[in-house]
Amino acid sequence: MGKLCVGIFGTCGTQMQSPWRGEFKKFYRERGVEFFDPQKKDWKPEDADIEAEHLAEDQIILFPITAATYGLGSLSEVGFSILQAIKLDDRRDFIILIDKNLDESLNDEKLVKESLRSRALVRKHLEKLRLDNIYVVESLDEMLKMSVELYELAKRKNQFAKFNPHKIHENRC
């Protein structure tokens, strides 16, 4: 089990491109759900260490790849994270949303073609994996609801960490 924290990864960009982040964070705060959002106005290269740590250790990882951006970097991150999930000792949960289409405002023909190709490939590869800790959802609403439910389950399970002689389940966000 990872850190009891929801890692909010996936589509970044401007607030206009990813307004869902603010909505998720507000919802989490109202319910006492601990989270990490790597997107911030003053991001510096040194922040990559913290971001990588959360990506490697948070109990619940969100990867919404919305229609608002090409999402090529986020699609790559999904692949890296799934490789981690395949580890036998990894009991973290990954919730993935990959919009099948792009916003009409994205009109670089080459990037649109590559993004749609990558989205289709990643979705198909995810469908073929037989891992019970990877969830592919169809909407941000489904992602938000599932992330809170998985957080509550992990929180309940964390109560038993004191009985684990290795103390590996006591991490918090």
Side-chain angles (χ1 to χ4, degrees):
M1 185 177 251
K3 287 183 184 177
L4 186 53
C5 189
V6 176
I8 306 173
F9 292 89
T11 297
C12 288
T14 66
Q15 179 60 24
M16 292 293 291
Q17 292 170 314
S18 52
W20 60 270
R21 286 179 179 274
E23 296 164 14
F24 275 45
K25 292 188 292 189
K26 180 178 185 276
F27 195 84
Y28 291 154
R29 280 187 198 103
E30 290 170 351
R31 285 155 184 78
V33 172
E34 295 188 49
F35 64 87
F36 170 76
D37 181 5
Q39 184 176 355
K40 55 186 193 175
K41 290 179 184 175
D42 61 343
W43 192 93
K44 299 175 283 309
E46 305 86 73
D47 293 328
D49 287 339
I50 297 166
E51 187 173 328
E53 180 180 313
H54 278 274
L55 186 58
E57 296 180 12
D58 288 354
Q59 177 59 36
I60 300 157
I61 300 292
L62 306 183
F63 274 115
I65 301 168
T66 69
T69 66
Y70 296 109
L72 298 175
S74 295
L75 286 162
S76 298
E77 278 187 321
V78 168
F80 292 129
S81 296
I82 298 311
L83 286 175
Q84 287 184 339
I86 292 173
K87 292 182 192 175
L88 294 177
D89 65 342
D90 199 338
R91 302 293 182 251
R92 300 179 309 134
D93 295 302
F94 298 82
I95 308 172
I96 301 161
L97 163 69
I98 302 174
D99 280 340
K100 294 174 186 167
N101 298 302
L102 293 172
D103 188 276
E104 292 176 10
S105 66
L106 300 173
N107 53 19
D108 181 311
E109 196 173 310
K110 188 175 179 182
L111 288 175
V112 166
K113 184 177 179 180
E114 182 58 29
S115 179
L116 294 175
R117 177 185 169 279
S118 296
R119 287 165 187 261
L121 283 170
V122 172
R123 283 184 67 92
K124 285 299 175 189
H125 287 291
L126 289 171
E127 288 174 12
K128 299 294 182 192
L129 292 176
R130 293 176 184 236
L131 299 171
D132 64 359
N133 59 336
I134 297 174
Y135 308 93
V136 180
V137 297
E138 297 297 324
S139 72
L140 288 167
D141 288 337
E142 286 179 343
M143 176 174 274
L144 182 57
K145 182 180 177 189
M146 182 180 290
S147 68
V148 171
E149 290 179 18
L150 287 170
Y151 182 88
E152 292 300 323
L153 284 171
K155 190 175 175 181
R156 287 197 300 276
K157 186 174 180 181
N158 235 17
Q159 297 175 67
F160 304 108
K162 62 186 175 193
F163 300 109
N164 184 303
H166 307 290
K167 307 291 185 218
I168 59 175
H169 300 296
E170 296 184 290
N171 297 324
R172 293 193 69 85
C173 193

mmCIF file with all atom_site columns, all heavy atoms in Angstrom, residues 108-120:
data_model
loop_
_atom_site.group_PDB
_atom_site.id
_atom_site.type_symbol
_atom_site.label_atom_id
_atom_site.label_alt_id
_atom_site.label_comp_id
_atom_site.label_asym_id
_atom_site.label_entity_id
_atom_site.label_seq_id
_atom_site.pdbx_PDB_ins_code
_atom_site.Cartn_x
_atom_site.Cartn_y
_atom_site.Cartn_z
_atom_site.occupancy
_atom_site.B_iso_or_equiv
_atom_site.pdbx_formal_charge
_atom_site.auth_seq_id
_atom_site.auth_comp_id
_atom_site.auth_asym_id
_atom_site.auth_atom_id
_atom_site.pdbx_PDB_model_num
ATOM 1   N N   . ASP A 1 108 ? -3.555 21.347 -34.792 1.00 0.00 ? 108 ASP A N   1
ATOM 2   C CA  . ASP A 1 108 ? -2.291 20.972 -35.426 1.00 0.00 ? 108 ASP A CA  1
ATOM 3   C C   . ASP A 1 108 ? -2.492 19.557 -35.956 1.00 0.00 ? 108 ASP A C   1
ATOM 4   O O   . ASP A 1 108 ? -2.544 18.592 -35.187 1.00 0.00 ? 108 ASP A O   1
ATOM 5   C CB  . ASP A 1 108 ? -1.147 21.036 -34.417 1.00 0.00 ? 108 ASP A CB  1
ATOM 6   C CG  . ASP A 1 108 ? 0.196  20.673 -35.042 1.00 0.00 ? 108 ASP A CG  1
ATOM 7   O OD1 . ASP A 1 108 ? 0.281  19.629 -35.737 1.00 0.00 ? 108 ASP A OD1 1
ATOM 8   O OD2 . ASP A 1 108 ? 1.161  21.426 -34.817 1.00 0.00 ? 108 ASP A OD2 1
ATOM 9   N N   . GLU A 1 109 ? -2.622 19.441 -37.259 1.00 0.00 ? 109 GLU A N   1
ATOM 10  C CA  . GLU A 1 109 ? -2.999 18.175 -37.890 1.00 0.00 ? 109 GLU A CA  1
ATOM 11  C C   . GLU A 1 109 ? -2.088 17.012 -37.486 1.00 0.00 ? 109 GLU A C   1
ATOM 12  O O   . GLU A 1 109 ? -2.552 15.905 -37.187 1.00 0.00 ? 109 GLU A O   1
ATOM 13  C CB  . GLU A 1 109 ? -2.994 18.348 -39.418 1.00 0.00 ? 109 GLU A CB  1
ATOM 14  C CG  . GLU A 1 109 ? -3.713 17.251 -40.154 1.00 0.00 ? 109 GLU A CG  1
ATOM 15  C CD  . GLU A 1 109 ? -3.829 17.562 -41.642 1.00 0.00 ? 109 GLU A CD  1
ATOM 16  O OE1 . GLU A 1 109 ? -4.255 18.675 -41.999 1.00 0.00 ? 109 GLU A OE1 1
ATOM 17  O OE2 . GLU A 1 109 ? -3.488 16.659 -42.430 1.00 0.00 ? 109 GLU A OE2 1
ATOM 18  N N   . LYS A 1 110 ? -0.790 17.261 -37.436 1.00 0.00 ? 110 LYS A N   1
ATOM 19  C CA  . LYS A 1 110 ? 0.171  16.211 -37.086 1.00 0.00 ? 110 LYS A CA  1
ATOM 20  C C   . LYS A 1 110 ? -0.008 15.772 -35.628 1.00 0.00 ? 110 LYS A C   1
ATOM 21  O O   . LYS A 1 110 ? -0.016 14.579 -35.324 1.00 0.00 ? 110 LYS A O   1
ATOM 22  C CB  . LYS A 1 110 ? 1.593  16.713 -37.330 1.00 0.00 ? 110 LYS A CB  1
ATOM 23  C CG  . LYS A 1 110 ? 2.654  15.674 -37.183 1.00 0.00 ? 110 LYS A CG  1
ATOM 24  C CD  . LYS A 1 110 ? 4.018  16.225 -37.570 1.00 0.00 ? 110 LYS A CD  1
ATOM 25  C CE  . LYS A 1 110 ? 5.084  15.163 -37.396 1.00 0.00 ? 110 LYS A CE  1
ATOM 26  N NZ  . LYS A 1 110 ? 6.420  15.676 -37.719 1.00 0.00 ? 110 LYS A NZ  1
ATOM 27  N N   . LEU A 1 111 ? -0.150 16.752 -34.719 1.00 0.00 ? 111 LEU A N   1
ATOM 28  C CA  . LEU A 1 111 ? -0.325 16.430 -33.302 1.00 0.00 ? 111 LEU A CA  1
ATOM 29  C C   . LEU A 1 111 ? -1.671 15.763 -33.036 1.00 0.00 ? 111 LEU A C   1
ATOM 30  O O   . LEU A 1 111 ? -1.767 14.859 -32.199 1.00 0.00 ? 111 LEU A O   1
ATOM 31  C CB  . LEU A 1 111 ? -0.170 17.682 -32.439 1.00 0.00 ? 111 LEU A CB  1
ATOM 32  C CG  . LEU A 1 111 ? 1.254  18.230 -32.314 1.00 0.00 ? 111 LEU A CG  1
ATOM 33  C CD1 . LEU A 1 111 ? 1.258  19.537 -31.538 1.00 0.00 ? 111 LEU A CD1 1
ATOM 34  C CD2 . LEU A 1 111 ? 2.176  17.206 -31.670 1.00 0.00 ? 111 LEU A CD2 1
ATOM 35  N N   . VAL A 1 112 ? -2.705 16.192 -33.741 1.00 0.00 ? 112 VAL A N   1
ATOM 36  C CA  . VAL A 1 112 ? -4.025 15.570 -33.588 1.00 0.00 ? 112 VAL A CA  1
ATOM 37  C C   . VAL A 1 112 ? -3.934 14.102 -33.981 1.00 0.00 ? 112 VAL A C   1
ATOM 38  O O   . VAL A 1 112 ? -4.398 13.216 -33.244 1.00 0.00 ? 112 VAL A O   1
ATOM 39  C CB  . VAL A 1 112 ? -5.096 16.296 -34.437 1.00 0.00 ? 112 VAL A CB  1
ATOM 40  C CG1 . VAL A 1 112 ? -6.368 15.466 -34.541 1.00 0.00 ? 112 VAL A CG1 1
ATOM 41  C CG2 . VAL A 1 112 ? -5.402 17.674 -33.859 1.00 0.00 ? 112 VAL A CG2 1
ATOM 42  N N   . LYS A 1 113 ? -3.319 13.841 -35.106 1.00 0.00 ? 113 LYS A N   1
ATOM 43  C CA  . LYS A 1 113 ? -3.183 12.452 -35.593 1.00 0.00 ? 113 LYS A CA  1
ATOM 44  C C   . LYS A 1 113 ? -2.413 11.601 -34.581 1.00 0.00 ? 113 LYS A C   1
ATOM 45  O O   . LYS A 1 113 ? -2.827 10.483 -34.251 1.00 0.00 ? 113 LYS A O   1
ATOM 46  C CB  . LYS A 1 113 ? -2.495 12.446 -36.954 1.00 0.00 ? 113 LYS A CB  1
ATOM 47  C CG  . LYS A 1 113 ? -2.392 11.070 -37.568 1.00 0.00 ? 113 LYS A CG  1
ATOM 48  C CD  . LYS A 1 113 ? -1.773 11.127 -38.953 1.00 0.00 ? 113 LYS A CD  1
ATOM 49  C CE  . LYS A 1 113 ? -1.664 9.739  -39.536 1.00 0.00 ? 113 LYS A CE  1
ATOM 50  N NZ  . LYS A 1 113 ? -1.066 9.743  -40.877 1.00 0.00 ? 113 LYS A NZ  1
ATOM 51  N N   . GLU A 1 114 ? -1.281 12.116 -34.076 1.00 0.00 ? 114 GLU A N   1
ATOM 52  C CA  . GLU A 1 114 ? -0.466 11.362 -33.124 1.00 0.00 ? 114 GLU A CA  1
ATOM 53  C C   . GLU A 1 114 ? -1.201 11.157 -31.801 1.00 0.00 ? 114 GLU A C   1
ATOM 54  O O   . GLU A 1 114 ? -1.150 10.080 -31.206 1.00 0.00 ? 114 GLU A O   1
ATOM 55  C CB  . GLU A 1 114 ? 0.878  12.064 -32.877 1.00 0.00 ? 114 GLU A CB  1
ATOM 56  C CG  . GLU A 1 114 ? 1.792  11.320 -31.943 1.00 0.00 ? 114 GLU A CG  1
ATOM 57  C CD  . GLU A 1 114 ? 2.129  9.896  -32.397 1.00 0.00 ? 114 GLU A CD  1
ATOM 58  O OE1 . GLU A 1 114 ? 2.144  9.624  -33.613 1.00 0.00 ? 114 GLU A OE1 1
ATOM 59  O OE2 . GLU A 1 114 ? 2.362  9.046  -31.518 1.00 0.00 ? 114 GLU A OE2 1
ATOM 60  N N   . SER A 1 115 ? -1.902 12.177 -31.350 1.00 0.00 ? 115 SER A N   1
ATOM 61  C CA  . SER A 1 115 ? -2.643 12.066 -30.094 1.00 0.00 ? 115 SER A CA  1
ATOM 62  C C   . SER A 1 115 ? -3.758 11.022 -30.198 1.00 0.00 ? 115 SER A C   1
ATOM 63  O O   . SER A 1 115 ? -3.904 10.175 -29.306 1.00 0.00 ? 115 SER A O   1
ATOM 64  C CB  . SER A 1 115 ? -3.236 13.422 -29.700 1.00 0.00 ? 115 SER A CB  1
ATOM 65  O OG  . SER A 1 115 ? -3.965 13.314 -28.505 1.00 0.00 ? 115 SER A OG  1
ATOM 66  N N   . LEU A 1 116 ? -4.525 11.071 -31.270 1.00 0.00 ? 116 LEU A N   1
ATOM 67  C CA  . LEU A 1 116 ? -5.620 10.107 -31.439 1.00 0.00 ? 116 LEU A CA  1
ATOM 68  C C   . LEU A 1 116 ? -5.072 8.681  -31.553 1.00 0.00 ? 116 LEU A C   1
ATOM 69  O O   . LEU A 1 116 ? -5.642 7.744  -30.986 1.00 0.00 ? 116 LEU A O   1
ATOM 70  C CB  . LEU A 1 116 ? -6.473 10.471 -32.649 1.00 0.00 ? 116 LEU A CB  1
ATOM 71  C CG  . LEU A 1 116 ? -7.254 11.780 -32.530 1.00 0.00 ? 116 LEU A CG  1
ATOM 72  C CD1 . LEU A 1 116 ? -7.977 12.098 -33.836 1.00 0.00 ? 116 LEU A CD1 1
ATOM 73  C CD2 . LEU A 1 116 ? -8.234 11.740 -31.361 1.00 0.00 ? 116 LEU A CD2 1
ATOM 74  N N   . ARG A 1 117 ? -3.972 8.538  -32.255 1.00 0.00 ? 117 ARG A N   1
ATOM 75  C CA  . ARG A 1 117 ? -3.325 7.222  -32.383 1.00 0.00 ? 117 ARG A CA  1
ATOM 76  C C   . ARG A 1 117 ? -2.868 6.725  -31.012 1.00 0.00 ? 117 ARG A C   1
ATOM 77  O O   . ARG A 1 117 ? -3.141 5.590  -30.625 1.00 0.00 ? 117 ARG A O   1
ATOM 78  C CB  . ARG A 1 117 ? -2.132 7.336  -33.333 1.00 0.00 ? 117 ARG A CB  1
ATOM 79  C CG  . ARG A 1 117 ? -1.333 6.076  -33.505 1.00 0.00 ? 117 ARG A CG  1
ATOM 80  C CD  . ARG A 1 117 ? -0.080 6.339  -34.387 1.00 0.00 ? 117 ARG A CD  1
ATOM 81  N NE  . ARG A 1 117 ? 0.823  5.230  -34.345 1.00 0.00 ? 117 ARG A NE  1
ATOM 82  C CZ  . ARG A 1 117 ? 1.709  4.984  -33.374 1.00 0.00 ? 117 ARG A CZ  1
ATOM 83  N NH1 . ARG A 1 117 ? 1.791  5.788  -32.345 1.00 0.00 ? 117 ARG A NH1 1
ATOM 84  N NH2 . ARG A 1 117 ? 2.494  3.938  -33.432 1.00 0.00 ? 117 ARG A NH2 1
ATOM 85  N N   . SER A 1 118 ? -2.184 7.585  -30.268 1.00 0.00 ? 118 SER A N   1
ATOM 86  C CA  . SER A 1 118 ? -1.676 7.204  -28.947 1.00 0.00 ? 118 SER A CA  1
ATOM 87  C C   . SER A 1 118 ? -2.815 6.877  -27.987 1.00 0.00 ? 118 SER A C   1
ATOM 88  O O   . SER A 1 118 ? -2.729 5.919  -27.217 1.00 0.00 ? 118 SER A O   1
ATOM 89  C CB  . SER A 1 118 ? -0.812 8.322  -28.362 1.00 0.00 ? 118 SER A CB  1
ATOM 90  O OG  . SER A 1 118 ? 0.334  8.514  -29.156 1.00 0.00 ? 118 SER A OG  1
ATOM 91  N N   . ARG A 1 119 ? -3.864 7.669  -28.027 1.00 0.00 ? 119 ARG A N   1
ATOM 92  C CA  . ARG A 1 119 ? -5.016 7.435  -27.151 1.00 0.00 ? 119 ARG A CA  1
ATOM 93  C C   . ARG A 1 119 ? -5.629 6.058  -27.426 1.00 0.00 ? 119 ARG A C   1
ATOM 94  O O   . ARG A 1 119 ? -5.928 5.301  -26.511 1.00 0.00 ? 119 ARG A O   1
ATOM 95  C CB  . ARG A 1 119 ? -6.072 8.520  -27.353 1.00 0.00 ? 119 ARG A CB  1
ATOM 96  C CG  . ARG A 1 119 ? -5.677 9.854  -26.771 1.00 0.00 ? 119 ARG A CG  1
ATOM 97  C CD  . ARG A 1 119 ? -6.567 10.983 -27.300 1.00 0.00 ? 119 ARG A CD  1
ATOM 98  N NE  . ARG A 1 119 ? -6.060 12.260 -26.862 1.00 0.00 ? 119 ARG A NE  1
ATOM 99  C CZ  . ARG A 1 119 ? -6.534 12.943 -25.824 1.00 0.00 ? 119 ARG A CZ  1
ATOM 100 N NH1 . ARG A 1 119 ? -7.571 12.491 -25.152 1.00 0.00 ? 119 ARG A NH1 1
ATOM 101 N NH2 . ARG A 1 119 ? -5.996 14.083 -25.466 1.00 0.00 ? 119 ARG A NH2 1
ATOM 102 N N   . ALA A 1 120 ? -5.817 5.751  -28.712 1.00 0.00 ? 120 ALA A N   1
ATOM 103 C CA  . ALA A 1 120 ? -6.410 4.459  -29.073 1.00 0.00 ? 120 ALA A CA  1
ATOM 104 C C   . ALA A 1 120 ? -5.509 3.307  -28.641 1.00 0.00 ? 120 ALA A C   1
ATOM 105 O O   . ALA A 1 120 ? -5.987 2.306  -28.083 1.00 0.00 ? 120 ALA A O   1
ATOM 106 C CB  . ALA A 1 120 ? -6.670 4.411  -30.576 1.00 0.00 ? 120 ALA A CB  1
#
